[in-house]
PDB file of all heavy atoms in Angstrom:
ATOM      1  N   GLU A 215    -107.646  38.521 -19.863  1.00 78.00           N
ATOM      2  CA  GLU A 215    -107.852  37.067 -19.847  1.00 78.00           C
ATOM      3  C   GLU A 215    -108.869  36.651 -20.902  1.00 78.00           C
ATOM      4  O   GLU A 215    -108.686  35.658 -21.620  1.00 78.00           O
ATOM      5  CB  GLU A 215    -108.326  36.617 -18.464  1.00 78.00           C
ATOM      6  CG  GLU A 215    -107.289  36.747 -17.353  1.00 78.00           C
ATOM      7  CD  GLU A 215    -106.201  35.698 -17.428  1.00 78.00           C
ATOM      8  OE1 GLU A 215    -106.228  34.857 -18.340  1.00 78.00           O
ATOM      9  OE2 GLU A 215    -105.299  35.724 -16.575  1.00 78.00           O
ATOM     10  N   LEU A 216    -109.957  37.397 -21.010  1.00 79.00           N
ATOM     11  CA  LEU A 216    -111.021  37.046 -21.957  1.00 79.00           C
ATOM     12  C   LEU A 216    -110.587  37.260 -23.405  1.00 79.00           C
ATOM     13  O   LEU A 216    -111.008  36.534 -24.305  1.00 79.00           O
ATOM     14  CB  LEU A 216    -112.278  37.864 -21.655  1.00 79.00           C
ATOM     15  CG  LEU A 216    -113.004  37.517 -20.351  1.00 79.00           C
ATOM     16  CD1 LEU A 216    -114.152  38.491 -20.095  1.00 79.00           C
ATOM     17  CD2 LEU A 216    -113.545  36.092 -20.386  1.00 79.00           C
ATOM     18  N   LEU A 217    -109.751  38.266 -23.630  1.00 79.00           N
ATOM     19  CA  LEU A 217    -109.295  38.555 -24.993  1.00 79.00           C
ATOM     20  C   LEU A 217    -108.277  37.524 -25.486  1.00 79.00           C
ATOM     21  O   LEU A 217    -108.148  37.302 -26.683  1.00 79.00           O
ATOM     22  CB  LEU A 217    -108.667  39.954 -25.052  1.00 79.00           C
ATOM     23  CG  LEU A 217    -109.640  41.134 -24.997  1.00 79.00           C
ATOM     24  CD1 LEU A 217    -108.871  42.442 -24.897  1.00 79.00           C
ATOM     25  CD2 LEU A 217    -110.537  41.149 -26.224  1.00 79.00           C
ATOM     26  N   GLY A 218    -107.572  36.893 -24.558  1.00 76.00           N
ATOM     27  CA  GLY A 218    -106.549  35.928 -24.943  1.00 76.00           C
ATOM     28  C   GLY A 218    -105.175  36.400 -24.527  1.00 76.00           C
ATOM     29  O   GLY A 218    -104.377  36.839 -25.348  1.00 76.00           O
ATOM     30  N   LYS A 219    -104.914  36.341 -23.242  1.00 77.00           N
ATOM     31  CA  LYS A 219    -103.666  36.824 -22.662  1.00 77.00           C
ATOM     32  C   LYS A 219    -102.500  35.918 -23.047  1.00 77.00           C
ATOM     33  O   LYS A 219    -102.675  34.715 -23.230  1.00 77.00           O
ATOM     34  CB  LYS A 219    -103.821  36.864 -21.140  1.00 77.00           C
ATOM     35  CG  LYS A 219    -102.716  37.557 -20.394  1.00 77.00           C
ATOM     36  CD  LYS A 219    -103.067  37.583 -18.908  1.00 77.00           C
ATOM     37  CE  LYS A 219    -101.979  38.241 -18.077  1.00 77.00           C
ATOM     38  NZ  LYS A 219    -102.334  38.230 -16.637  1.00 77.00           N
ATOM     39  N   ARG A 220    -101.327  36.501 -23.157  1.00 78.00           N
ATOM     40  CA  ARG A 220    -100.128  35.729 -23.467  1.00 78.00           C
ATOM     41  C   ARG A 220     -99.909  34.655 -22.403  1.00 78.00           C
ATOM     42  O   ARG A 220    -100.153  34.875 -21.216  1.00 78.00           O
ATOM     43  CB  ARG A 220     -98.920  36.656 -23.526  1.00 78.00           C
ATOM     44  CG  ARG A 220     -97.625  35.959 -23.962  1.00 78.00           C
ATOM     45  CD  ARG A 220     -96.471  36.965 -24.011  1.00 78.00           C
ATOM     46  NE  ARG A 220     -95.232  36.336 -24.448  1.00 78.00           N
ATOM     47  CZ  ARG A 220     -94.896  36.140 -25.702  1.00 78.00           C
ATOM     48  NH1 ARG A 220     -95.728  36.516 -26.664  1.00 78.00           N
ATOM     49  NH2 ARG A 220     -93.749  35.567 -26.021  1.00 78.00           N
ATOM     50  N   ILE A 221     -99.421  33.511 -22.834  1.00 79.00           N
ATOM     51  CA  ILE A 221     -99.183  32.393 -21.927  1.00 79.00           C
ATOM     52  C   ILE A 221     -98.165  32.796 -20.863  1.00 79.00           C
ATOM     53  O   ILE A 221     -97.176  33.463 -21.158  1.00 79.00           O
ATOM     54  CB  ILE A 221     -98.637  31.172 -22.702  1.00 79.00           C
ATOM     55  CG1 ILE A 221     -99.587  30.795 -23.841  1.00 79.00           C
ATOM     56  CG2 ILE A 221     -98.431  29.977 -21.772  1.00 79.00           C
ATOM     57  CD1 ILE A 221     -98.986  29.806 -24.816  1.00 79.00           C
ATOM     58  N   ASP A 222     -98.427  32.395 -19.633  1.00 81.00           N
ATOM     59  CA  ASP A 222     -97.487  32.650 -18.546  1.00 81.00           C
ATOM     60  C   ASP A 222     -96.112  32.082 -18.909  1.00 81.00           C
ATOM     61  O   ASP A 222     -95.984  30.919 -19.317  1.00 81.00           O
ATOM     62  CB  ASP A 222     -98.001  31.994 -17.261  1.00 81.00           C
ATOM     63  CG  ASP A 222     -97.028  32.152 -16.109  1.00 81.00           C
ATOM     64  OD1 ASP A 222     -96.909  33.272 -15.587  1.00 81.00           O
ATOM     65  OD2 ASP A 222     -96.387  31.150 -15.744  1.00 81.00           O
ATOM     66  N   SER A 223     -95.079  32.902 -18.755  1.00 85.00           N
ATOM     67  CA  SER A 223     -93.731  32.514 -19.185  1.00 85.00           C
ATOM     68  C   SER A 223     -93.236  31.254 -18.485  1.00 85.00           C
ATOM     69  O   SER A 223     -92.652  30.362 -19.110  1.00 85.00           O
ATOM     70  CB  SER A 223     -92.742  33.656 -18.928  1.00 85.00           C
ATOM     71  OG  SER A 223     -93.057  34.767 -19.721  1.00 85.00           O
ATOM     72  N   ASP A 224     -93.472  31.174 -17.177  1.00 86.00           N
ATOM     73  CA  ASP A 224     -92.993  30.006 -16.424  1.00 86.00           C
ATOM     74  C   ASP A 224     -93.671  28.730 -16.913  1.00 86.00           C
ATOM     75  O   ASP A 224     -93.017  27.679 -17.052  1.00 86.00           O
ATOM     76  CB  ASP A 224     -93.264  30.187 -14.925  1.00 86.00           C
ATOM     77  CG  ASP A 224     -92.394  31.281 -14.307  1.00 86.00           C
ATOM     78  OD1 ASP A 224     -91.333  31.573 -14.892  1.00 86.00           O
ATOM     79  OD2 ASP A 224     -92.768  31.831 -13.264  1.00 86.00           O
ATOM     80  N   LEU A 225     -94.969  28.819 -17.187  1.00 87.00           N
ATOM     81  CA  LEU A 225     -95.701  27.637 -17.650  1.00 87.00           C
ATOM     82  C   LEU A 225     -95.245  27.217 -19.047  1.00 87.00           C
ATOM     83  O   LEU A 225     -95.032  26.021 -19.305  1.00 87.00           O
ATOM     84  CB  LEU A 225     -97.204  27.905 -17.657  1.00 87.00           C
ATOM     85  CG  LEU A 225     -98.092  26.752 -18.166  1.00 87.00           C
ATOM     86  CD1 LEU A 225     -97.897  25.511 -17.310  1.00 87.00           C
ATOM     87  CD2 LEU A 225     -99.555  27.174 -18.199  1.00 87.00           C
ATOM     88  N   SER A 226     -95.088  28.193 -19.959  1.00 89.00           N
ATOM     89  CA  SER A 226     -94.684  27.848 -21.327  1.00 89.00           C
ATOM     90  C   SER A 226     -93.293  27.224 -21.336  1.00 89.00           C
ATOM     91  O   SER A 226     -93.045  26.250 -22.052  1.00 89.00           O
ATOM     92  CB  SER A 226     -94.723  29.089 -22.228  1.00 89.00           C
ATOM     93  OG  SER A 226     -93.785  30.058 -21.822  1.00 89.00           O
ATOM     94  N   ARG A 227     -92.396  27.759 -20.530  1.00 90.00           N
ATOM     95  CA  ARG A 227     -91.044  27.188 -20.469  1.00 90.00           C
ATOM     96  C   ARG A 227     -91.080  25.790 -19.856  1.00 90.00           C
ATOM     97  O   ARG A 227     -90.349  24.892 -20.303  1.00 90.00           O
ATOM     98  CB  ARG A 227     -90.134  28.102 -19.640  1.00 90.00           C
ATOM     99  CG  ARG A 227     -89.812  29.422 -20.325  1.00 90.00           C
ATOM    100  CD  ARG A 227     -88.673  30.140 -19.628  1.00 90.00           C
ATOM    101  NE  ARG A 227     -88.417  31.438 -20.242  1.00 90.00           N
ATOM    102  CZ  ARG A 227     -88.772  32.602 -19.714  1.00 90.00           C
ATOM    103  NH1 ARG A 227     -89.409  32.628 -18.558  1.00 90.00           N
ATOM    104  NH2 ARG A 227     -88.501  33.735 -20.320  1.00 90.00           N
ATOM    105  N   GLN A 228     -91.920  25.600 -18.841  1.00 91.00           N
ATOM    106  CA  GLN A 228     -92.021  24.284 -18.216  1.00 91.00           C
ATOM    107  C   GLN A 228     -92.497  23.233 -19.204  1.00 91.00           C
ATOM    108  O   GLN A 228     -91.941  22.130 -19.285  1.00 91.00           O
ATOM    109  CB  GLN A 228     -92.986  24.342 -17.022  1.00 91.00           C
ATOM    110  CG  GLN A 228     -93.115  23.004 -16.292  1.00 91.00           C
ATOM    111  CD  GLN A 228     -94.201  23.019 -15.229  1.00 91.00           C
ATOM    112  OE1 GLN A 228     -94.925  24.003 -15.058  1.00 91.00           O
ATOM    113  NE2 GLN A 228     -94.332  21.930 -14.497  1.00 91.00           N
ATOM    114  N   ILE A 229     -93.530  23.578 -19.990  1.00 91.00           N
ATOM    115  CA  ILE A 229     -94.069  22.639 -20.976  1.00 91.00           C
ATOM    116  C   ILE A 229     -93.024  22.313 -22.042  1.00 91.00           C
ATOM    117  O   ILE A 229     -92.810  21.147 -22.394  1.00 91.00           O
ATOM    118  CB  ILE A 229     -95.345  23.202 -21.622  1.00 91.00           C
ATOM    119  CG1 ILE A 229     -96.470  23.273 -20.589  1.00 91.00           C
ATOM    120  CG2 ILE A 229     -95.785  22.343 -22.813  1.00 91.00           C
ATOM    121  CD1 ILE A 229     -97.731  23.958 -21.091  1.00 91.00           C
ATOM    122  N   LYS A 230     -92.349  23.337 -22.555  1.00 92.00           N
ATOM    123  CA  LYS A 230     -91.345  23.110 -23.596  1.00 92.00           C
ATOM    124  C   LYS A 230     -90.171  22.268 -23.081  1.00 92.00           C
ATOM    125  O   LYS A 230     -89.656  21.401 -23.792  1.00 92.00           O
ATOM    126  CB  LYS A 230     -90.844  24.452 -24.136  1.00 92.00           C
ATOM    127  CG  LYS A 230     -91.888  25.187 -24.977  1.00 92.00           C
ATOM    128  CD  LYS A 230     -91.373  26.513 -25.492  1.00 92.00           C
ATOM    129  CE  LYS A 230     -92.420  27.213 -26.338  1.00 92.00           C
ATOM    130  NZ  LYS A 230     -91.959  28.519 -26.869  1.00 92.00           N
ATOM    131  N   GLU A 231     -89.786  22.520 -21.844  1.00 92.00           N
ATOM    132  CA  GLU A 231     -88.701  21.726 -21.254  1.00 92.00           C
ATOM    133  C   GLU A 231     -89.120  20.270 -21.072  1.00 92.00           C
ATOM    134  O   GLU A 231     -88.326  19.343 -21.301  1.00 92.00           O
ATOM    135  CB  GLU A 231     -88.282  22.334 -19.913  1.00 92.00           C
ATOM    136  CG  GLU A 231     -87.490  23.636 -20.064  1.00 92.00           C
ATOM    137  CD  GLU A 231     -87.259  24.327 -18.735  1.00 92.00           C
ATOM    138  OE1 GLU A 231     -87.651  23.763 -17.687  1.00 92.00           O
ATOM    139  OE2 GLU A 231     -86.687  25.440 -18.736  1.00 92.00           O
ATOM    140  N   LEU A 232     -90.382  20.054 -20.682  1.00 93.00           N
ATOM    141  CA  LEU A 232     -90.893  18.683 -20.530  1.00 93.00           C
ATOM    142  C   LEU A 232     -90.872  17.941 -21.865  1.00 93.00           C
ATOM    143  O   LEU A 232     -90.438  16.788 -21.945  1.00 93.00           O
ATOM    144  CB  LEU A 232     -92.328  18.721 -19.985  1.00 93.00           C
ATOM    145  CG  LEU A 232     -92.516  18.957 -18.501  1.00 93.00           C
ATOM    146  CD1 LEU A 232     -94.007  19.111 -18.181  1.00 93.00           C
ATOM    147  CD2 LEU A 232     -91.937  17.808 -17.687  1.00 93.00           C
ATOM    148  N   VAL A 233     -91.352  18.621 -22.904  1.00 93.00           N
ATOM    149  CA  VAL A 233     -91.416  17.998 -24.228  1.00 93.00           C
ATOM    150  C   VAL A 233     -90.013  17.682 -24.748  1.00 93.00           C
ATOM    151  O   VAL A 233     -89.781  16.646 -25.375  1.00 93.00           O
ATOM    152  CB  VAL A 233     -92.179  18.898 -25.224  1.00 93.00           C
ATOM    153  CG1 VAL A 233     -92.161  18.297 -26.625  1.00 93.00           C
ATOM    154  CG2 VAL A 233     -93.621  19.098 -24.765  1.00 93.00           C
ATOM    155  N   CYS A 234     -89.081  18.563 -24.458  1.00 92.00           N
ATOM    156  CA  CYS A 234     -87.706  18.367 -24.948  1.00 92.00           C
ATOM    157  C   CYS A 234     -86.954  17.278 -24.180  1.00 92.00           C
ATOM    158  O   CYS A 234     -85.820  16.933 -24.551  1.00 92.00           O
ATOM    159  CB  CYS A 234     -86.935  19.677 -24.883  1.00 92.00           C
ATOM    160  SG  CYS A 234     -87.399  20.843 -26.192  1.00 92.00           S
ATOM    161  N   THR A 235     -87.555  16.731 -23.128  1.00 93.00           N
ATOM    162  CA  THR A 235     -86.900  15.617 -22.424  1.00 93.00           C
ATOM    163  C   THR A 235     -86.971  14.326 -23.232  1.00 93.00           C
ATOM    164  O   THR A 235     -86.219  13.389 -22.960  1.00 93.00           O
ATOM    165  CB  THR A 235     -87.544  15.376 -21.037  1.00 93.00           C
ATOM    166  OG1 THR A 235     -88.942  15.087 -21.203  1.00 93.00           O
ATOM    167  CG2 THR A 235     -87.368  16.589 -20.141  1.00 93.00           C
ATOM    168  N   PHE A 236     -87.859  14.279 -24.228  1.00 94.00           N
ATOM    169  CA  PHE A 236     -87.921  13.100 -25.099  1.00 94.00           C
ATOM    170  C   PHE A 236     -86.740  13.155 -26.065  1.00 94.00           C
ATOM    171  O   PHE A 236     -86.550  14.159 -26.760  1.00 94.00           O
ATOM    172  CB  PHE A 236     -89.247  13.066 -25.873  1.00 94.00           C
ATOM    173  CG  PHE A 236     -90.445  12.804 -25.002  1.00 94.00           C
ATOM    174  CD1 PHE A 236     -91.159  13.863 -24.443  1.00 94.00           C
ATOM    175  CD2 PHE A 236     -90.853  11.513 -24.722  1.00 94.00           C
ATOM    176  CE1 PHE A 236     -92.260  13.628 -23.639  1.00 94.00           C
ATOM    177  CE2 PHE A 236     -91.955  11.269 -23.912  1.00 94.00           C
ATOM    178  CZ  PHE A 236     -92.653  12.323 -23.367  1.00 94.00           C
ATOM    179  N   PRO A 237     -85.950  12.106 -26.147  1.00 92.00           N
ATOM    180  CA  PRO A 237     -84.738  12.127 -26.979  1.00 92.00           C
ATOM    181  C   PRO A 237     -85.014  12.388 -28.456  1.00 92.00           C
ATOM    182  O   PRO A 237     -84.158  12.929 -29.164  1.00 92.00           O
ATOM    183  CB  PRO A 237     -84.133  10.738 -26.763  1.00 92.00           C
ATOM    184  CG  PRO A 237     -85.226   9.893 -26.189  1.00 92.00           C
ATOM    185  CD  PRO A 237     -86.113  10.821 -25.438  1.00 92.00           C
ATOM    186  N   GLU A 238     -86.196  12.029 -28.940  1.00 92.00           N
ATOM    187  CA  GLU A 238     -86.510  12.242 -30.358  1.00 92.00           C
ATOM    188  C   GLU A 238     -86.771  13.721 -30.680  1.00 92.00           C
ATOM    189  O   GLU A 238     -86.652  14.143 -31.829  1.00 92.00           O
ATOM    190  CB  GLU A 238     -87.751  11.437 -30.776  1.00 92.00           C
ATOM    191  CG  GLU A 238     -87.657   9.940 -30.497  1.00 92.00           C
ATOM    192  CD  GLU A 238     -88.254   9.571 -29.152  1.00 92.00           C
ATOM    193  OE1 GLU A 238     -88.249  10.433 -28.239  1.00 92.00           O
ATOM    194  OE2 GLU A 238     -88.720   8.429 -29.017  1.00 92.00           O
ATOM    195  N   VAL A 239     -87.147  14.490 -29.673  1.00 91.00           N
ATOM    196  CA  VAL A 239     -87.529  15.896 -29.889  1.00 91.00           C
ATOM    197  C   VAL A 239     -86.283  16.784 -29.922  1.00 91.00           C
ATOM    198  O   VAL A 239     -85.509  16.816 -28.969  1.00 91.00           O
ATOM    199  CB  VAL A 239     -88.493  16.378 -28.789  1.00 91.00           C
ATOM    200  CG1 VAL A 239     -88.801  17.869 -28.964  1.00 91.00           C
ATOM    201  CG2 VAL A 239     -89.782  15.560 -28.826  1.00 91.00           C
TER     202      VAL A 239
END
């Protein structure tokens, strides 16, 4: 965690899916 762990897969996919809900994206 302190070194910089890879982003949790479920969270990263959730964020990307949210952003892609905008028609311009």
Side-chain angles (χ1 to χ4, degrees):
E215 292 286 0
L216 291 174
L217 286 173
K219 190 177 179 181
R220 185 179 181 84
I221 305 168
D222 177 72
S223 295
D224 291 337
L225 178 60
S226 64
R227 290 193 183 105
Q228 181 187 4
I229 292 174
K230 289 180 179 180
E231 287 172 4
L232 281 174
V233 176
C234 285
T235 59
F236 291 92
E238 304 93 332
V239 176

